[in-house]
Amino acid sequence: MVAQMSAGDTEMMVFDAPWQARVFALVVMMVEDGHMSWKDFQSHLVQETRQGESATDKGSLEPQESTYYQRWLNAAEHLLQELELLRPDELDGKIGSLKA
């Protein structure tokens, strides 16, 4: 279950772009609606973060503005596919609508 957030917590949240807020909200909603567990999402996010850090160590430079929430999006994509809630052929359209 997602940790409860107080009004003060949400006031401190900052997103660089609207799509980042949508990705965050999507993951929270999917957990709250029981489509995925918070633990499973966290596991995927840790894996994405490690892969991103490994790529950065090897000289790959990711754009700084969206790195953190891009990892959220990547983790959500992989988990949704793993749970068979999203087919790979649906992915581009769904991501495009999140980033619009």
Side-chain angles (χ1 to χ4, degrees):
M1 178 163 279
V2 177
Q4 295 295 319
M5 296 173 62
S6 69
D9 293 335
T10 58
E11 290 172 10
M12 296 184 66
M13 295 179 71
V14 176
F15 301 100
D16 292 330
W19 73 266
Q20 295 171 350
R22 289 192 287 270
V23 167
F24 178 85
L26 173 70
V27 169
V28 170
M29 180 192 72
M30 296 293 288
V31 170
E32 288 179 348
D33 288 350
H35 298 289
M36 68 174 68
S37 76
W38 188 246
K39 182 178 178 180
D40 287 343
F41 175 74
Q42 287 176 316
S43 175
H44 279 74
L45 183 57
V46 166
Q47 183 178 4
E48 287 295 325
T49 300
R50 286 183 181 147
Q51 288 175 351
E53 289 170 354
S54 176
T56 301
D57 291 344
K58 293 178 183 173
S60 172
L61 299 176
E62 294 182 42
Q64 188 62 30
E65 63 92 23
S66 65
T67 302
Y68 180 71
Y69 287 104
Q70 183 63 48
R71 290 177 183 158
W72 268 68
L73 178 58
N74 294 345
E77 289 173 12
H78 293 132
L79 183 55
L80 289 170
Q81 288 180 36
E82 183 179 297
L83 296 172
E84 298 181 352
L85 295 172
L86 184 64
R87 294 187 321 265
D89 62 317
E90 297 175 307
L91 196 55
D92 289 337
K94 300 293 183 184
I95 292 171
S97 67
L98 279 173
K99 289 189 170 184

